[in-house]
Amino acid sequence: MSEYLRLRAVPAPALRNSPAWLERLFESDAETVRQRVGRHREEVLDQRYPDQERIYAGTPAHRCEHHPHTQVVLGGRPVFRTDPHRPPLLVLTAAQARRVAGFLTTADFDALWDAARDTLLPRYGGTAAEPRTWGAFAAAHHELRAFYTQTADSGDAVVKCQSEP
């Protein structure tokens, strides 16, 4: 099974602090979730998500007053699952999601990439593969920006779920 990270937007008033309720968000298909919480948006990051995290946890890009550090990908308040051997779910409040959206809207991806590229490129084929690697991470950045912007515009919170390898 591939390792991936799923992010779901949840209306803030519907959000529960129950591990079982949060786990059900990710056990259900998109239509079931949409019916239960009124709307649904989800973003899925592939196995590169720990490296995507490096891009955002590094040096802040130009014009960013409030760098959210790790909130973009792996940040949030951990909610420990009913099975202690599974990774915790992560929850961002609506206010935190707005801050992340603001960061992603103003962040200069090229500056973020420049700060992380020397660490990332060796894992993806070196400098010869840089255009392809940059393109994959830039596309993920664009998708995350769209997800968080729509989430912030709706006043929603974000729940994140890591798959097990």
Side-chain angles (χ1 to χ4, degrees):
M1 173 167 97
S2 278
E3 189 174 342
Y4 59 93
L5 180 74
R6 294 168 62 190
L7 298 86
R8 282 207 168 160
V10 177
L15 190 62
R16 303 289 176 263
N17 199 26
S18 159
W21 187 89
L22 293 169
E23 286 174 338
R24 281 193 303 272
L25 280 176
F26 295 97
E27 291 170 357
S28 304
D29 64 21
E31 185 58 33
T32 302
V33 173
R34 186 178 298 114
Q35 290 173 4
R36 185 168 57 236
V37 299
R39 61 185 172 265
H40 164 73
R41 283 181 315 286
E42 180 175 77
E43 184 60 42
V44 179
L45 297 176
D46 65 15
Q47 71 277 2
R48 290 184 298 250
Y49 75 85
D51 288 333
Q52 190 76 29
E53 174 76 358
R54 286 185 184 276
I55 290 172
Y56 300 116
T59 305
H62 304 289
R63 298 179 26 216
C64 295
E65 295 177 21
H66 303 290
H67 189 261
H69 299 288
T70 61
Q71 289 183 352
V72 174
V73 179
L74 291 176
R77 177 181 52 84
V79 175
F80 296 97
R81 296 182 181 201
T82 54
D83 177 354
H85 298 95
R86 296 179 73 194
L89 299 160
L90 301 169
V91 177
L92 288 179
T93 65
Q96 290 170 321
R98 275 192 308 278
R99 283 195 297 275
V100 172
F103 164 73
L104 291 173
T105 299
T106 60
D108 176 349
F109 180 77
D110 288 326
L112 292 168
W113 173 257
D114 287 345
R117 74 180 288 282
D118 291 341
T119 302
L120 298 179
L121 280 180
R123 290 198 279 274
Y124 294 94
T127 56
E130 184 168 8
R132 184 180 71 245
T133 305
W134 178 92
F137 283 101
H141 173 77
H142 176 75
E143 292 166 4
L144 283 167
R145 184 176 60 218
F147 169 79
Y148 276 109
T149 298
Q150 186 177 8
T151 299
D153 289 347
S154 298
D156 290 344
V158 174
V159 181
K160 303 172 189 181
C161 178
Q162 292 175 270
S163 70
E164 292 83 10

